[in-house]
Amino acid sequence: MVRVDGNGNGTSLIRVRNLDKKYQRGSEEIHVLQGLNLDVEQGDFVAFMGPSGSGKTTLLNLLGGLDVPTSGSITVAGDEVTAMSAKKLTGWRARHVGFIFQMYNLIPVLTAFGNVELPLLLTRLSKAQRRKHVETVLDLVGLADRMHHYPRQLSGGQEQRVAIARAIVTDPTFLLADEPTGDLDRRSADEIMELIGRLVHEHGKTVLMVTHDPRAADRAHAVLHLDKGVLVESAGEAPRR
Amino acid sequence: MAIPLAYNVRSVRQRWTSSIVAVLGIAGTVGVFVAMLSMARGFKATLVASGSPGNVIVRRAGATSEMESVVDLAQVRVMESAPGVQHDDDGPLVSAEVVVVAAFPLRKTGTDANVQVRGVSPKALAVRDTFKITSGRFFEPGLAELVVGSNASRAYSGFEVGSSLRFGGAEWKVVGVFNAGGSAFDSELWCDANVLNQTYQRPQNIFQSMTAHLRSPDDFQRFKDAVTTDPRLAVQVDREVDYYEKQSRQLTLMITVLGTLVALVMGVGAVFGALNTMYSAVAERRREIATMRALGFGGAAVVLSFVVESLFIALVGGVIGCVAVLPINGLTTGTMNWQTFSHLAFAFRITPDLMVIGIVFALLMGLVGGVPPAIRAARRPVAAALREL
């Protein structure tokens, strides 16, 4: 059950309390997040919506340990992320977070295989084990036959599927998706959302997604709107599929 | 585990237009550096080759070179019977020698350059075993005949076998060309010492140096002790090898220092080239770097990755620089030997260790040019860089 009132019970996978984030832009101070609360349980699929500049991506970056809040805390599976040093945070990201970006962010000079293998280089897996993992996830996203293609040889939808494979190959605690369909045509977008839906429902992944696309948001268990620096539940929560 | 090397190698290849600036800068610097050092090496090698380990050269005590030394016949006779001197059927293997400098026109420019003319004893051939007559014959004792060193015969006009030369007020006939194994002697003219003394109206039986062939290089100390403690003699004794090595020192040092200075100045330019290439690589790949940081690669891995990339570029540049100057290996050039004031021909010598030095120099430039951009890459905030397109 996703909650935004700060009264979640102790079973939450992700627990955010009184999260504040201020930016200094020139002489102007921008207060993006203002005492934001969030509780997400294992297997939840949450969509964050809101106008540009409302702080969706900032929230995602904070959840992923890419940025540090001005105050407040984020706890994931019992670890307080906001208390970690930068070095510890780097290691934590490698183990617990899978990132999916709007622009895919594949490394252009590496093949699909090389891109997906990248996060596994940070593990103790042997070369053979890495190969097996990569082949498994590329098969899962339906690109086993494109393993040795470079990103420029793939369509946008295929690139995003490689990026998803890269995000799940280490079996992270949760996935963060920043506008995963933002750069795709309708059909590719549907395919990607289908894939993310399968990861949630068939593989029990926890997904937090920022999107502008209501059709994408429809697939989430909960759609939360960022409004004046806090999250509010959208009227009529989407049904759990 | 580090960011895979393939990432850097392929990135360099993909951005080859930018990489080539750094590669060429480093290649040029390494090329000049290696060429200059090979010149110093060649010069030194030529002089050192002139000495044979079994030979000793005796000069007046305190004389730094043959030019300012005097050894008379009486002294030569004393030393001939010193312990350690090799004898053959005709007696001891020693050559009392005189040197003068004469000017002859260079083939290439037509301008005069100094040639060292060495008057030797007829035994000189036996004393220096590397010495070979390649055309014509050796001079006849007592006649105004010359044999010409192989480098001198190439460098000067009019040194052909059969031709006549005029110097020191006499007419000389060139009767042969000799090869002395690429040593300094190859730049000399040889003739009979007594004839040379007469021609230059120098007193007979006065020489400038004496070279003796020892039974074995190990006899050096015995010979030296005997000669330097003899009250009739006031001489200094050197192994021939050491004598020529000493002669080469000043110019070798000068070329090395000069070459290093030139290379350093060029190196500064090459480092800026590398910096520029690497800074632009880092700027172009902001998002890739941020993505890798997001995936969990640490700052150290990013620094290492970009330093390795810079080193890779430097290595390519270094190898190209070394290979580019390889054709000058063995090429003969000449310079003034300041110890004898005469022209000395020598060959550029590019040795494997010299190429290693060149590559190390290249890597050093790569390191200096790679570290600051690599640190910048690692320091960029990940969240901001991810949003940049």
Side-chain angles (χ1 to χ4, degrees), chain B residues 162-216:
Chain B
S163 58
S164 289
L165 299 174
R166 219 186 147 71
F167 69 90
E171 189 86 12
W172 299 79
K173 190 158 183 257
V174 177
V175 296
V177 176
F178 66 85
N179 185 312
S183 69
F185 298 128
D186 277 323
S187 296
E188 294 182 344
L189 303 182
W190 280 17
C191 60
D192 185 330
N194 291 323
V195 177
L196 193 63
N197 268 343
Q198 280 167 21
T199 308
Y200 276 79
Q201 295 175 351
R202 291 183 177 185
Q204 286 296 323
N205 301 333
I206 298 283
F207 305 95
Q208 283 168 293
S209 69
M210 186 200 86
T211 300
H213 189 68
L214 299 180
R215 275 197 287 269
S216 128

Side-chain angles (χ1 to χ4, degrees), chain B residues 105-224:
Chain B
L106 279 168
R107 214 182 270 273
K108 215 180 271 174
T109 57
T111 54
D112 280 1
N114 286 340
V115 180
Q116 181 149 293
V117 183
R118 179 178 297 272
V120 300
S121 88
K123 283 278 180 64
L125 268 182
V127 171
R128 296 194 177 83
D129 39 14
T130 53
F131 193 103
K132 284 185 187 61
I133 294 287
T134 52
S135 73
R137 57 172 175 83
F138 199 56
F139 64 80
E140 204 63 58
L143 296 183
E145 291 183 343
L146 289 166
V147 282
V148 182
S150 55
N151 282 328
S153 81
R154 274 196 296 272
Y156 296 88
S157 45
F159 281 10
E160 295 80 17
V161 175
S163 58
S164 289
L165 299 174
R166 219 186 147 71
F167 69 90
E171 189 86 12
W172 299 79
K173 190 158 183 257
V174 177
V175 296
V177 176
F178 66 85
N179 185 312
S183 69
F185 298 128
D186 277 323
S187 296
E188 294 182 344
L189 303 182
W190 280 17
C191 60
D192 185 330
N194 291 323
V195 177
L196 193 63
N197 268 343
Q198 280 167 21
T199 308
Y200 276 79
Q201 295 175 351
R202 291 183 177 185
Q204 286 296 323
N205 301 333
I206 298 283
F207 305 95
Q208 283 168 293
S209 69
M210 186 200 86
T211 300
H213 189 68
L214 299 180
R215 275 197 287 269
S216 128
D218 300 334
D219 284 323
F220 173 74
Q221 200 57 44
R222 219 150 58 90
F223 176 84
K224 183 178 179 176

Side-chain angles (χ1 to χ4, degrees), chain B residues 17-361:
Chain B
T17 43
S18 160
S19 308
I20 212 154
V21 176
V23 167
L24 289 182
I26 288 171
T29 308
V30 168
V32 168
F33 184 60
V34 170
M36 294 288 268
L37 290 192
S38 76
M39 200 148 80
R41 293 282 171 100
F43 182 76
K44 185 174 175 176
T46 296
L47 278 174
V48 171
S50 309
S52 108
N55 282 4
V56 288
I57 179 164
V58 182
R59 286 164 295 146
R60 177 176 60 81
T64 53
S65 76
E66 285 176 280
M67 301 290 279
E68 51 190 273
S69 168
V70 179
V71 178
D72 66 32
L73 186 63
Q75 292 175 318
V76 172
R77 292 284 175 256
V78 171
M79 291 186 283
E80 276 176 354
S81 51
V85 175
Q86 173 86 338
H87 289 248
D88 66 2
D89 299 343
D90 303 329
L93 288 185
V94 300
S95 172
E97 304 184 348
V98 287
V99 286
V100 299
V101 165
F104 294 100
L106 279 168
R107 214 182 270 273
K108 215 180 271 174
T109 57
T111 54
D112 280 1
N114 286 340
V115 180
Q116 181 149 293
V117 183
R118 179 178 297 272
V120 300
S121 88
K123 283 278 180 64
L125 268 182
V127 171
R128 296 194 177 83
D129 39 14
T130 53
F131 193 103
K132 284 185 187 61
I133 294 287
T134 52
S135 73
R137 57 172 175 83
F138 199 56
F139 64 80
E140 204 63 58
L143 296 183
E145 291 183 343
L146 289 166
V147 282
V148 182
S150 55
N151 282 328
S153 81
R154 274 196 296 272
Y156 296 88
S157 45
F159 281 10
E160 295 80 17
V161 175
S163 58
S164 289
L165 299 174
R166 219 186 147 71
F167 69 90
E171 189 86 12
W172 299 79
K173 190 158 183 257
V174 177
V175 296
V177 176
F178 66 85
N179 185 312
S183 69
F185 298 128
D186 277 323
S187 296
E188 294 182 344
L189 303 182
W190 280 17
C191 60
D192 185 330
N194 291 323
V195 177
L196 193 63
N197 268 343
Q198 280 167 21
T199 308
Y200 276 79
Q201 295 175 351
R202 291 183 177 185
Q204 286 296 323
N205 301 333
I206 298 283
F207 305 95
Q208 283 168 293
S209 69
M210 186 200 86
T211 300
H213 189 68
L214 299 180
R215 275 197 287 269
S216 128
D218 300 334
D219 284 323
F220 173 74
Q221 200 57 44
R222 219 150 58 90
F223 176 84
K224 183 178 179 176
D225 289 345
V227 167
T228 50
T229 53
D230 192 316
R232 292 168 292 178
L233 305 169
V235 293
Q236 57 180 338
V237 179
D238 283 297
R239 282 184 199 274
E240 209 181 18
V241 181
D242 296 340
Y243 170 74
Y244 283 105
E245 196 269 333
K246 259 185 246 165
Q247 255 195 26
S248 74
R249 240 178 249 169
Q250 192 186 348
L251 192 71
T252 304
L253 183 73
M254 194 178 84
I255 300 174
T256 307
V257 168
L258 209 69
T260 308
L261 274 179
V262 170
L264 280 181
V265 172
M266 287 184 71
V268 170
V271 163
F272 275 105
L275 276 171
N276 187 41
T277 298
M278 290 312 295
Y279 269 125
S280 80
V282 166
E284 273 175 40
R285 277 145 57 193
R286 285 191 301 267
R287 211 150 55 94
E288 290 172 32
I289 298 162
T291 303
M292 289 198 266
R293 296 296 312 275
L295 294 180
F297 286 95
V302 171
V303 170
L304 185 71
S305 174
F306 277 88
V307 168
V308 164
E309 184 164 325
S310 178
L311 289 178
F312 172 69
I313 288 174
L315 182 68
V316 173
V319 169
I320 290 177
C322 283
V323 170
V325 294
L326 217 46
I328 68 164
N329 187 32
L331 217 65
T332 307
T333 182
T335 186
M336 172 82 106
N337 179 355
W338 291 97
Q339 257 64 40
T340 59
F341 298 104
S342 56
H343 192 261
L344 176 73
F346 64 93
F348 286 90
R349 272 170 73 101
I350 300 180
T351 49
D353 67 312
L354 200 55
M355 288 168 83
V356 170
I357 293 174
I359 300 281
V360 169
F361 183 43

